[in-house]
Amino acid sequence: MSSIRPRSAAAYWLAVPAGLWMLAAVVLPTLLILWVSLWGGQSVSPDNPITFDNYARFLSNGSYRALMLDTLAQAAMIMGITGVLGYCIAYFLTVKVTSPAWRTALFLAFVIPFWTSTLIRAIAFVPFLGVNGLLNQALLAAGLIEQPIQAFLYSRLGVSMAQVSLYTLLASGPVVYMLNSIPPALREAAMTLKASPFTVFRRIILPLTLPGIVIGQVLVFLNVLADFITVTTVGGNKLAFLGNLILLFYEGSQIRATAVVSVLLMAVMLAGVAVALRIVDIRKVGG
Amino acid sequence: MAAPAALPQLDLELRDIRKRYGGFTAVDGVSLQVPKGQFVCLLGPSGCGKTTTLRCVAGLEEPDSGDILIGGREVTADPPWQRDIAMMFQDFALFPHMSVAKQVGFGLEMQKKPRAEITRRVAEVLGAFEIAHLADRRPSQLSGGQKQRVALARAMITEPRILLLDEPIGALDYSLRETVMLELKALQKRSGISFIWVTHDQNEAFSLGDQVVVMNHARIEQQGRPEEVLSRPRTAFVAGFIQGNNILRGQAQGARDGLLDIRTEDGSFAVPLNGRAVPAAGSPVSFSVRAERLQEAAADELPNRISLRCTLVEYFGAYRRHVLETRSGATIKWDQFGALPQSVFAGELVTFGWKAEDGVLHA
């Protein structure tokens, strides 16, 4: 069997197809969006001068600034909830459930809903959260409420519930992986060194699963920022985040504004990933 | 006070420990007494229950029944962090995210010692274990021997009453093992801490242990000083597990002058009863003779004689091993120590004998 050495001519040639694809599908479109966002002048034309006016105009608008902050606040909230919930689920599945059969069954029950597309899952929340929806009927049947709760659907509460449900797996999966990679003897060694279970968790388990937490948080962060489907279907027209704004400008043929918001959204996402990479070295995960 | 002051204090006492996992019995009525500062080796094949016994002492497993006393205090239901023990794990179980110094200080940190004291003690211990130069390294940057030292330092710094060691040198290169064994033995004597050492390697057990406990099928087969276990294996299992024993099986015939007559397919042999009750005539019994106890010369004057055919001769440096076959096809080994010229060759028919007192009757 022959092997290809890194940095050899053959290695570079093998990287060409993937490189071309990335160039055509990612780099060029991104540069195009960046370019469009910098177009000046009155009419939409490639001959327009380059300017930062579009950004200045967008950022000077108070309601747009508020919407950006609101998007980040929503992401932060969903990250917090899915982070705690996802960690608890991961810890329960890998540490507390000792029977392999039960673990597999519970894990499948947790994962299988995520095999459907995001769009379908988002739409599925409408009959679940609606006035005559499953949740209201269940609460009515249980005698916990007397009137159906309107606020579940077409509200921020509904969107948040849907997003928590949609993205918990993303927060949980990397933690499951990291927990599984911790040898049980480490926990036991700490216990024989007089560490109580809480201390074992704080000093051994939590630091060793930190990369999983951070990766999960990055995934949730990126998905919440990019999510306009859930916001549209579950939030109705009452709610908008940056992703919806892009769609709104695009549908209104405001191509430069669309590009500006897209670039800002990308910048926020990249900043988030950069922060995460400062906390953990993702390349070391699994090593 | 009428307390029996003469009673020696035990570091560890196990009273009839039992542990089952579903249908599998891991530990079946193990009792053990470890006097202060003893080196005890739990020896046995894999799955014999030695590790489960050790984990029960550590508190990592709770026995279904029985009592565990550490330093005279009943701890059976206590969690590991409330027991006066430390443990060394087979693959060392070093914390991958902590430096060597942090790792070694972990136990003291858990005891809420002042920071200055921790720093001082860690420096002392790292020095004593000759790993001071590794203080800032992570476990991934250590060799196997270095990891072993760090794991030992991490366990010893807490000065426990008992150190539990689960195959502590099994993960080391063969060339390192002997050195490490000698160091650990010296360390144990110096520190006065009781070591409970689990191993499947009889060389480790017999060269290290003040007491050797041989286990099989979840039970203790024999416990005693290494010389005792080596020279007087109590059961056929122990005799077979320890290298260099020849085991013969037959029927009890009757006793005379403290010697039991045993009839086998290869002849009748006289074996000392050693205070044991005379087995019923015809009942199946087994006994063993150590390979170096067989005598070729003057076989005619010995009470026990057996005709053999030599099938193989191997030279091991310290001794020469002869593999022989009885007429019924059983294998007998004869070890010749000392640099003597070879006297028995493969293919040869020979008669060997042994003194009556060299036979060991099994329970």
Side-chain angles (χ1 to χ4, degrees):
Chain A
M1 199 180 87
S2 67
S3 62
I4 310 262
R5 268 170 288 116
R7 292 179 212 294
S8 65
Y12 284 113
W13 278 112
L14 280 170
V16 163
L20 281 177
W21 170 257
M22 289 299 284
L23 192 71
V26 179
V27 179
L28 287 180
T30 308
L31 289 175
L32 196 63
I33 293 171
L34 190 64
W35 183 42
V36 170
S37 75
L38 295 171
W39 280 353
Q42 294 300 311
S43 60
V44 173
S45 148
D47 301 329
N48 287 327
I50 296 300
T51 168
F52 283 98
D53 283 358
N54 301 327
Y55 288 93
R57 207 160 40 243
F58 180 82
L59 291 172
S60 66
N61 186 321
S63 36
Y64 290 157
R65 284 203 308 272
L67 190 124
M68 273 184 82
L69 285 178
D70 202 26
T71 307
L72 286 175
Q74 177 73 9
M77 182 183 76
I78 301 298
M79 282 164 73
I81 297 173
T82 57
V84 173
L85 197 63
Y87 200 99
C88 291
I89 291 171
Y91 193 84
F92 177 77
L93 282 179
T94 48
V95 180
K96 294 293 171 191
V97 181
T98 46
S99 144
W102 267 109
R103 187 180 301 155
T104 310
L106 289 172
F107 195 75
L108 283 178
F110 181 40
V111 169
I112 285 176
F114 292 86
W115 290 356
T116 47
S117 88
T118 315
L119 181 63
I120 303 286
R121 273 181 294 140
I123 291 170
F125 271 98
V126 175
F128 181 75
L129 297 173
V131 173
N132 291 315
L134 205 58
L135 186 58
N136 268 321
Q137 285 182 3
L139 290 173
L140 284 169
L144 292 172
I145 53 171
E146 286 173 4
Q147 294 291 315
I149 295 175
Q150 305 266 350
F152 285 155
L153 195 59
Y154 306 131
S155 70
R156 186 157 193 162
L157 176 68
V159 169
S160 301
M161 288 200 291
Q163 285 185 331
V164 165
S165 153
L166 292 174
Y167 302 133
T168 298
L169 180 75
L170 299 178
S172 196
V175 177
V176 169
Y177 176 79
M178 294 309 289
L179 278 172
N180 275 327
S181 65
I182 299 175
L186 291 192
R187 187 187 318 243
E188 294 175 350
M191 287 197 288
T192 59
L193 290 166
K194 312 285 172 285
S196 64
F198 178 71
T199 311
V200 174
F201 177 76
R202 193 173 58 83
R203 294 290 305 276
I204 310 294
I205 306 299
L206 195 60
L208 289 176
T209 48
L210 185 64
I213 299 173
V214 172
I215 292 168
Q217 292 287 287
V218 168
L219 293 177
V220 173
F221 176 72
L222 296 180
N223 274 276
V224 173
L225 287 186
D227 183 357
F228 61 93
I229 296 171
T230 317
V231 183
T232 316
T233 52
V234 184
N237 290 326
K238 294 181 182 173
L239 202 64
F241 293 121
L242 272 188
N244 305 83
L245 195 61
I246 294 174
L247 196 64
L248 202 70
F249 282 143
Y250 181 75
E251 284 167 347
S253 298
Q254 300 188 59
I255 184 168
R256 282 177 288 193
T258 310
V260 165
V261 184
S262 301
V263 169
L264 287 175
L265 187 60
M266 263 191 291
V268 169
M269 286 174 163
L270 285 174
V273 173
V275 169
L277 286 178
R278 285 190 72 88
I279 302 173
V280 289
D281 187 349
I282 285 179
R283 282 167 303 174
K284 279 189 185 161
V285 173
Chain B
M1 297 291 279
L7 200 72
Q9 206 202 346
L10 298 175
D11 271 349
L12 174 67
E13 186 174 4
L14 302 182
R15 293 181 187 151
D16 200 24
I17 298 295
R18 283 165 205 276
K19 175 77 185 172
R20 292 176 70 85
Y21 300 102
F24 176 73
T25 304
V27 181
D28 190 9
V30 163
S31 296
L32 184 67
Q33 294 196 334
V34 180
K36 211 161 170 37
Q38 262 218 343
F39 202 128
V40 177
C41 288
L42 299 185
L43 173 67
S46 60
C48 72
K50 55 191 193 301
T51 295
T52 308
T53 305
L54 193 78
R55 291 172 60 83
C56 284
V57 176
L60 298 171
E61 306 281 349
E62 199 181 329
D64 300 331
S65 67
D67 298 317
I68 300 169
L69 287 85
I70 293 174
R73 193 171 68 88
E74 146 92 53
V75 297
T76 317
D78 289 356
W81 56 92
Q82 286 171 10
R83 297 187 183 198
D84 197 1
I85 51 111
M87 184 156 172
M88 240 185 100
F89 292 78
Q90 189 168 12
D91 50 4
F92 310 129
L94 297 180
F95 306 133
H97 58 302
M98 288 187 199
S99 69
V100 166
K102 195 83 187 152
Q103 189 116 224
V104 171
F106 188 82
L108 297 179
E109 243 185 279
M110 293 302 110
Q111 292 176 355
K112 307 274 191 298
K113 299 272 195 242
R115 195 156 294 273
E117 188 190 334
I118 295 176
T119 313
R120 183 177 57 78
R121 291 267 294 121
V122 166
E124 272 174 25
V125 169
L126 291 183
F129 284 88
E130 296 170 20
I131 46 175
H133 59 294
L134 306 174
D136 297 325
R137 295 224 195 138
R138 295 287 174 94
S140 58
Q141 300 165 298
L142 301 176
S143 73
Q146 290 170 335
K147 282 183 187 168
Q148 195 267 348
R149 276 163 189 274
V150 174
L152 188 63
R154 185 179 71 174
M156 289 292 285
I157 199 168
T158 58
E159 296 175 335
R161 184 182 287 272
I162 306 170
L163 179 63
L164 307 168
L165 307 102
D166 187 6
E167 307 257 3
I169 62 173
L172 293 185
D173 284 346
Y174 201 75
S175 58
L176 264 178
R177 288 189 195 172
E178 198 156 339
T179 325
V180 172
M181 267 164 64
L182 292 173
E183 282 179 5
L184 283 168
K185 180 77 183 172
L187 175 70
Q188 190 271 329
K189 285 282 163 264
R190 220 170 40 240
S191 64
I193 293 172
S194 277
F195 277 27
I196 316 282
W197 175 297
V198 160
T199 181
H200 62 268
D201 183 322
Q202 51 184 299
N203 293 327
E204 279 175 31
F206 289 118
S207 57
L208 290 171
D210 297 322
Q211 207 185 137
V212 175
V213 178
V214 185
M215 290 187 69
N216 187 38
H217 291 319
R219 291 169 169 277
I220 293 181
E221 291 272 334
Q222 184 171 14
Q223 62 189 96
R225 289 178 298 107
E227 304 81 36
E228 253 171 63
V229 178
L230 274 172
S231 59
R232 308 217 71 82
R234 200 181 68 83
T235 64
F237 169 80
V238 177
F241 187 71
I242 295 165
Q243 281 163 24
N245 277 310
N246 293 306
I247 303 172
L248 289 159
R249 294 167 200 279
Q251 284 93 40
Q253 293 299 305
R256 184 166 35 83
D257 301 335
L259 293 175
L260 178 69
D261 207 25
I262 299 173
R263 194 171 67 203
T264 75
E265 289 179 40
D266 297 300
S268 286
F269 305 101
V271 180
L273 278 163
N274 257 332
R276 229 183 272 276
V278 180
S283 62
V285 286
S286 68
F287 69 97
S288 52
V289 189
R290 288 205 57 81
E292 70 272 14
R293 293 293 186 175
L294 296 184
Q295 297 179 25
E296 180 206 8
D300 293 345
E301 290 137 44
L302 293 164
N304 295 309
R305 286 188 298 279
I306 189 165
S307 302
L308 301 161
R309 194 172 57 82
C310 184
T311 56
L312 184 69
V313 181
E314 287 175 289
Y315 186 58
F316 288 98
Y319 62 98
R320 186 182 284 122
R321 165 156 296 180
H322 306 70
V323 183
L324 310 128
E325 213 178 66
T326 67
R327 272 179 302 202
S328 73
T331 300
I332 295 286
K333 294 184 204 97
W334 172 48
D335 291 344
Q336 187 185 37
F337 283 81
L340 298 171
Q342 187 172 349
S343 57
V344 174
F345 295 85
E348 237 181 302
L349 290 170
V350 284
T351 300
F352 273 88
W354 65 89
K355 293 179 194 151
E357 67 257 37
D358 286 336
V360 180
L361 184 64
H362 300 149

mmCIF file of all heavy atoms in Angstrom, chain B residues 15-19 25 27-32 65 218-220:
data_model
loop_
_atom_site.group_PDB
_atom_site.id
_atom_site.type_symbol
_atom_site.label_atom_id
_atom_site.label_comp_id
_atom_site.label_asym_id
_atom_site.label_seq_id
_atom_site.Cartn_x
_atom_site.Cartn_y
_atom_site.Cartn_z
ATOM 1 N N ARG B 15 -14.751 -9.805 56.463
ATOM 2 C CA ARG B 15 -15.494 -10.906 57.073
ATOM 3 C C ARG B 15 -16.553 -11.393 56.096
ATOM 4 O O ARG B 15 -17.558 -10.728 55.887
ATOM 5 C CB ARG B 15 -16.179 -10.437 58.355
ATOM 6 C CG ARG B 15 -15.209 -10.068 59.463
ATOM 7 C CD ARG B 15 -16.000 -9.649 60.692
ATOM 8 N NE ARG B 15 -15.123 -9.121 61.725
ATOM 9 C CZ ARG B 15 -15.500 -8.216 62.619
ATOM 10 N NH1 ARG B 15 -16.737 -7.747 62.575
ATOM 11 N NH2 ARG B 15 -14.653 -7.794 63.530
ATOM 12 N N ASP B 16 -16.269 -12.520 55.480
ATOM 13 C CA ASP B 16 -17.252 -13.227 54.666
ATOM 14 C C ASP B 16 -17.890 -12.323 53.603
ATOM 15 O O ASP B 16 -19.103 -12.201 53.512
ATOM 16 C CB ASP B 16 -18.340 -13.810 55.588
ATOM 17 C CG ASP B 16 -19.089 -14.941 54.898
ATOM 18 O OD1 ASP B 16 -18.520 -15.551 53.981
ATOM 19 O OD2 ASP B 16 -20.248 -15.182 55.272
ATOM 20 N N ILE B 17 -17.042 -11.700 52.777
ATOM 21 C CA ILE B 17 -17.528 -10.789 51.739
ATOM 22 C C ILE B 17 -18.145 -11.583 50.585
ATOM 23 O O ILE B 17 -17.552 -12.553 50.103
ATOM 24 C CB ILE B 17 -16.360 -9.945 51.179
ATOM 25 C CG1 ILE B 17 -15.750 -9.085 52.276
ATOM 26 C CG2 ILE B 17 -16.805 -9.080 49.998
ATOM 27 C CD1 ILE B 17 -16.672 -8.058 52.820
ATOM 28 N N ARG B 18 -19.343 -11.162 50.168
ATOM 29 C CA ARG B 18 -19.995 -11.789 49.012
ATOM 30 C C ARG B 18 -20.467 -10.709 48.055
ATOM 31 O O ARG B 18 -20.978 -9.678 48.470
ATOM 32 C CB ARG B 18 -21.202 -12.619 49.455
ATOM 33 C CG ARG B 18 -20.801 -13.940 50.072
ATOM 34 C CD ARG B 18 -21.934 -14.598 50.834
ATOM 35 N NE ARG B 18 -21.360 -15.473 51.848
ATOM 36 C CZ ARG B 18 -20.958 -16.721 51.598
ATOM 37 N NH1 ARG B 18 -21.089 -17.231 50.391
ATOM 38 N NH2 ARG B 18 -20.425 -17.452 52.555
ATOM 39 N N LYS B 19 -20.277 -10.986 46.768
ATOM 40 C CA LYS B 19 -20.741 -10.029 45.758
ATOM 41 C C LYS B 19 -21.166 -10.787 44.510
ATOM 42 O O LYS B 19 -20.411 -11.602 43.982
ATOM 43 C CB LYS B 19 -19.595 -9.057 45.412
ATOM 44 C CG LYS B 19 -19.919 -8.088 44.295
ATOM 45 C CD LYS B 19 -20.804 -6.963 44.783
ATOM 46 C CE LYS B 19 -21.236 -6.048 43.641
ATOM 47 N NZ LYS B 19 -22.238 -5.069 44.092
ATOM 48 N N THR B 25 -21.288 -14.988 40.359
ATOM 49 C CA THR B 25 -20.752 -14.718 41.686
ATOM 50 C C THR B 25 -19.303 -14.278 41.547
ATOM 51 O O THR B 25 -18.454 -15.046 41.102
ATOM 52 C CB THR B 25 -20.827 -15.973 42.571
ATOM 53 O OG1 THR B 25 -22.190 -16.404 42.608
ATOM 54 C CG2 THR B 25 -20.365 -15.677 43.978
ATOM 55 N N VAL B 27 -17.452 -12.617 44.150
ATOM 56 C CA VAL B 27 -16.748 -12.876 45.403
ATOM 57 C C VAL B 27 -17.670 -13.714 46.271
ATOM 58 O O VAL B 27 -18.823 -13.350 46.479
ATOM 59 C CB VAL B 27 -16.387 -11.557 46.128
ATOM 60 C CG1 VAL B 27 -15.640 -11.861 47.421
ATOM 61 C CG2 VAL B 27 -15.542 -10.666 45.236
ATOM 62 N N ASP B 28 -17.152 -14.844 46.747
ATOM 63 C CA ASP B 28 -18.015 -15.813 47.422
ATOM 64 C C ASP B 28 -17.436 -16.164 48.794
ATOM 65 O O ASP B 28 -16.727 -17.148 48.949
ATOM 66 C CB ASP B 28 -18.138 -17.062 46.533
ATOM 67 C CG ASP B 28 -19.205 -18.015 47.049
ATOM 68 O OD1 ASP B 28 -19.942 -17.628 47.969
ATOM 69 O OD2 ASP B 28 -19.278 -19.142 46.539
ATOM 70 N N GLY B 29 -17.714 -15.322 49.764
ATOM 71 C CA GLY B 29 -17.306 -15.629 51.128
ATOM 72 C C GLY B 29 -15.818 -15.463 51.378
ATOM 73 O O GLY B 29 -15.160 -16.364 51.873
ATOM 74 N N VAL B 30 -15.299 -14.285 51.056
ATOM 75 C CA VAL B 30 -13.875 -14.030 51.266
ATOM 76 C C VAL B 30 -13.658 -13.391 52.635
ATOM 77 O O VAL B 30 -14.296 -12.386 52.966
ATOM 78 C CB VAL B 30 -13.306 -13.120 50.151
ATOM 79 C CG1 VAL B 30 -11.972 -12.519 50.557
ATOM 80 C CG2 VAL B 30 -13.163 -13.915 48.856
ATOM 81 N N SER B 31 -12.790 -14.000 53.423
ATOM 82 C CA SER B 31 -12.406 -13.441 54.716
ATOM 83 C C SER B 31 -10.902 -13.276 54.732
ATOM 84 O O SER B 31 -10.172 -14.139 54.236
ATOM 85 C CB SER B 31 -12.838 -14.364 55.860
ATOM 86 O OG SER B 31 -14.243 -14.448 55.903
ATOM 87 N N LEU B 32 -10.450 -12.175 55.315
ATOM 88 C CA LEU B 32 -9.023 -11.872 55.241
ATOM 89 C C LEU B 32 -8.664 -10.945 56.389
ATOM 90 O O LEU B 32 -9.451 -10.075 56.758
ATOM 91 C CB LEU B 32 -8.750 -11.178 53.890
ATOM 92 C CG LEU B 32 -7.315 -10.832 53.517
ATOM 93 C CD1 LEU B 32 -6.520 -12.111 53.300
ATOM 94 C CD2 LEU B 32 -7.295 -9.998 52.245
ATOM 95 N N SER B 65 -23.074 -8.902 51.025
ATOM 96 C CA SER B 65 -23.074 -9.197 52.451
ATOM 97 C C SER B 65 -21.637 -9.282 52.929
ATOM 98 O O SER B 65 -20.703 -9.344 52.124
ATOM 99 C CB SER B 65 -23.813 -10.507 52.735
ATOM 100 O OG SER B 65 -23.087 -11.579 52.180
ATOM 101 N N ALA B 218 -13.928 -17.012 42.699
ATOM 102 C CA ALA B 218 -14.536 -16.135 43.700
ATOM 103 C C ALA B 218 -14.222 -16.520 45.145
ATOM 104 O O ALA B 218 -14.740 -15.919 46.080
ATOM 105 C CB ALA B 218 -16.059 -16.065 43.505
ATOM 106 N N ARG B 219 -13.370 -17.526 45.333
ATOM 107 C CA ARG B 219 -13.045 -17.949 46.698
ATOM 108 C C ARG B 219 -11.543 -17.901 46.925
ATOM 109 O O ARG B 219 -10.761 -17.968 45.990
ATOM 110 C CB ARG B 219 -13.492 -19.393 46.923
ATOM 111 C CG ARG B 219 -14.967 -19.581 46.962
ATOM 112 C CD ARG B 219 -15.278 -21.063 46.915
ATOM 113 N NE ARG B 219 -16.674 -21.303 47.208
ATOM 114 C CZ ARG B 219 -17.165 -21.376 48.439
ATOM 115 N NH1 ARG B 219 -16.367 -21.262 49.477
ATOM 116 N NH2 ARG B 219 -18.447 -21.567 48.635
ATOM 117 N N ILE B 220 -11.177 -17.861 48.223
ATOM 118 C CA ILE B 220 -9.772 -17.976 48.569
ATOM 119 C C ILE B 220 -9.414 -19.453 48.622
ATOM 120 O O ILE B 220 -10.052 -20.227 49.340
ATOM 121 C CB ILE B 220 -9.482 -17.297 49.920
ATOM 122 C CG1 ILE B 220 -9.674 -15.786 49.795
ATOM 123 C CG2 ILE B 220 -8.057 -17.618 50.374
ATOM 124 C CD1 ILE B 220 -9.396 -15.020 51.071
#
